[in-house]
Amino acid sequence: MEKNTLTASSVADAVPTPLEPKSTYGFNEDLYSNQLTEIAKSGAEVEQHLPPLRAIKAYPMAIVWSLVVSMCVIMEGYDTSLIGNFFAYPSFAQKFGTYTPGVGYQLSAAWQAGFGNATGVGSFFGVIANGYLVGWFGHKRVLIGALFAMTAFIFIMFFAQNIQMLTAGGFLCGLPP
């Protein structure tokens, strides 16, 4: 039986010298890079001219991912913009406000300010955390995790029994950027 031995001459033969062209497994990397660029250009050109139905059949996961990312805009709009408009609704004021004789149910100015700013404060801390999380886990995983967290936090706001719970839910909804 022969042993697989590594000799100085076999190592010297395997290491390219600076004068030799760059090659990997018999391919010239510069030539391969140019071929790859041309293939990518022609593939992009073909994709741009696909009819809509063929494009849908060819790339269903791209469509799903696009819809998932679009949900970010919808969820962000709900917790940051829409919820502040509820202060004027009588049913909202009756559930979360206090009764003042001669005026009716109102949400106090302190709670309006606190509730209105809770999402922004949550966003501040969420953006800081997002920088670290993306570095550790990657963009896709952090985005998907943030969407699941946002879904859970919206449930807190939807089923809030008092203004404190609603404000805490607003803060938590601000966390996932």
Side-chain angles (χ1 to χ4, degrees):
M1 259 204 250
E2 290 182 29
K3 290 183 179 178
N4 290 333
T5 57
L6 196 58
T7 63
S9 63
S10 66
V11 170
D13 292 339
V15 177
T17 63
L19 300 175
E20 294 178 7
K22 295 187 296 184
S23 62
T24 306
Y25 303 110
F27 295 107
N28 184 328
E29 288 181 12
D30 293 330
L31 179 61
Y32 182 72
S33 176
N34 290 337
Q35 289 172 344
L36 190 61
T37 302
E38 290 302 317
I39 291 169
K41 283 181 183 178
S42 66
E45 198 171 307
V46 167
E47 288 173 352
Q48 288 176 354
H49 297 293
L50 273 178
L53 273 175
R54 286 197 58 202
I56 289 170
K57 289 178 184 177
Y59 302 105
M61 288 308 296
I63 294 168
V64 169
W65 185 245
S66 174
L67 291 173
V68 167
V69 171
S70 297
M71 292 300 290
C72 295
V73 176
I74 295 167
M75 289 182 173
E76 188 68 22
Y78 177 78
D79 71 308
T80 59
S81 302
L82 181 66
I83 202 77
N85 295 324
F86 289 162
F87 295 144
Y89 288 112
S91 58
F92 184 85
Q94 187 173 2
K95 182 171 183 176
F96 297 110
T98 55
Y99 183 75
T100 306
V103 177
Y105 285 96
Q106 279 190 336
L107 199 58
S108 70
W111 276 112
Q112 284 185 24
F115 178 62
N117 292 322
T119 305
V121 172
S123 293
F124 174 78
F125 290 111
V127 166
I128 291 172
N130 187 46
Y132 291 108
L133 294 173
V134 166
W136 290 332
F137 301 111
H139 292 283
K140 283 185 181 180
R141 288 183 180 157
V142 171
L143 179 62
I144 290 171
L147 289 175
F148 279 112
M150 180 68 81
T151 303
F153 297 153
I154 286 176
F155 274 100
I156 293 172
M157 292 184 73
F158 187 79
F159 293 109
Q161 297 298 312
N162 52 38
I163 190 66
Q164 294 87 356
M165 189 176 182
L166 192 66
T167 303
F171 174 80
L172 292 172
C173 279
L175 289 176

